[in-house]
């Protein structure tokens, strides 16, 4: 029997994909386009600056999606999600959570600390909590806090990523949890989504693929850098934000750093939001995400900037082709 949370989400999706919330990149336009295309769209609450803008953005998302549904009653509209960073350096958690409660956000994605104080509040309005984890211990702590789903941020994922292979971490997590699991780590194609499902994940987590979209709030140079890059153009370092993350080497070099000779220690204290920065020789202070651009190792499979609708349609075609190919291969072997 399918887990009820998974069944409810599948009913309102055209593809088993949850978009990763990307700092500065994900805004209401991207979320709306993703949900209207049948995948879960998401954004970090910290992208709304000033904080008073957050409620306006949430209203924009809900109102626009309601208008789309009214015009096209048969269209599948996926739910949306908001990322709350529950790290102690984020002073907006309580205020942002209150706005999420006001708008009854369907899914809250928590990260960087077990969300003990968040889960109960979200459940009171009927929302679900999915938590980012990079190790089995993180998964255990999140489950103790009562989360509804786990997001496995594995090696190769964009932004703050773990170092474990998805094969290793997913297998260990499935020994202790049979609920919704979302898998990330260099997932860029429909065949990658099929592979994640074949491994036992319920959803694929995709961020980098949607940076190269028309609706993403990213500079044109950033989008083109994604298109031009391959896996060897990604550097994994804690230097810029205090926690290891994957960045585009070209953006690091453009700010005067040698991406192949970065210090092992972070440039400053671990922090998030507008204060994320690293000192550059000469006194300039480029900021992680704003100036030092993030991407996952799957960039080599992204070769164009498209609309979200076009990207999702392409992913759907690739996903169904991969599933059919697997079925054909298995039938040929076992029958």
């Amino acid at each position: 029997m399918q887990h009820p949370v998974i069944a409810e989400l599948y009913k309102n999706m055209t593809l088993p994909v949850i978009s990763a919330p990307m700092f500065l990149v994900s805004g209401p336009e991207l979320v709306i386009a993703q949900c209207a295309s049948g995948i879960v769209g998401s954004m970090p609450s910290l992208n709304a600056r000033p904080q008073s803008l957050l409620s306006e953005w949430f209203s924009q998302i809900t109102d626009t999606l309601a208008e789309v549904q009214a015009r096209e009653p048969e269209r599948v509209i996926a739910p949306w999600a908001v990322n709350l960073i529950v790290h102690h350096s984020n002073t907006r958690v309580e205020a942002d959570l209150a706005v999420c409660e006001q708008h009854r956000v369907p899914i809250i994605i928590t990260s960087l600390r077990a969300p003990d104080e968040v889960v109960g509040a979200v459940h009171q309005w009927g929302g679900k909590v999915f938590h980012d984890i990079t190790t089995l211990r993180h998964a255990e702590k999140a489950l103790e806090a009562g989360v509804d789903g786990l997001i496995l941020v594995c090696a190769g994922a964009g932004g703050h990523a773990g170092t474990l292979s998805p094969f290793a971490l997913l297998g260990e997590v499935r020994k202790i949890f049979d609920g919704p699991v979302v898998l990330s780590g260099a997932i860029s194609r429909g065949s990658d989504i099929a592979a994640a499902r074949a491994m036992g994940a319920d959803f694929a987590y995709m961020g980098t693929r949607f940076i190269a979209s028309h609706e993403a709030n990213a500079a044109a140079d950033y989008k083109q850098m994604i298109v031009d890059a391959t896996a060897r153009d990604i550097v994994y370092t804690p230097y810029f934000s205090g926690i290891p993350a994957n960045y585009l080497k070209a953006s690091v070099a453009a700010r005067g750093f040698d991406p192949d000779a970065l210090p092992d220690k972070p440039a400053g204290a671990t922090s998030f939001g507008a204060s994320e920065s690293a000192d550059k020789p000469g006194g300039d202070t480029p900021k992680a995400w704003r100036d030092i651009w993030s991407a996952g190792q799957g960039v080599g499979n992204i070769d164009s900037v498209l609309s979200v609708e076009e990207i999702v349609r392409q992913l759907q075609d690739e996903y169904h082709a991969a599933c059919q190919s697997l079925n054909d291969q298995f039938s040929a072997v076992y029958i």
Side-chain angles (χ1 to χ4, degrees), residues 171-184:
E172 292 185 358
V173 166
R174 276 306 187 203
K175 290 182 178 179
I176 65 169
F177 182 58
D178 63 358
V181 167
V182 189
L183 187 66
S184 77

Side-chain angles (χ1 to χ4, degrees), residues 67-111:
E67 291 170 4
V68 172
Q69 190 74 85
R71 289 197 308 269
E72 305 176 55
E74 301 304 316
R75 179 184 282 265
V76 176
I77 306 289
W80 53 294
V82 171
N83 171 226
L84 293 179
I85 292 177
V86 292
H87 190 268
H88 63 78
S89 68
N90 180 14
T91 59
R92 282 180 44 173
V93 175
E94 290 187 9
D96 289 354
L97 180 61
V99 179
C100 290
E101 179 180 7
Q102 176 188 350
H103 290 266
R104 297 186 176 275
V105 176
I107 302 170
I108 297 296
I109 296 172
T110 53
S111 52

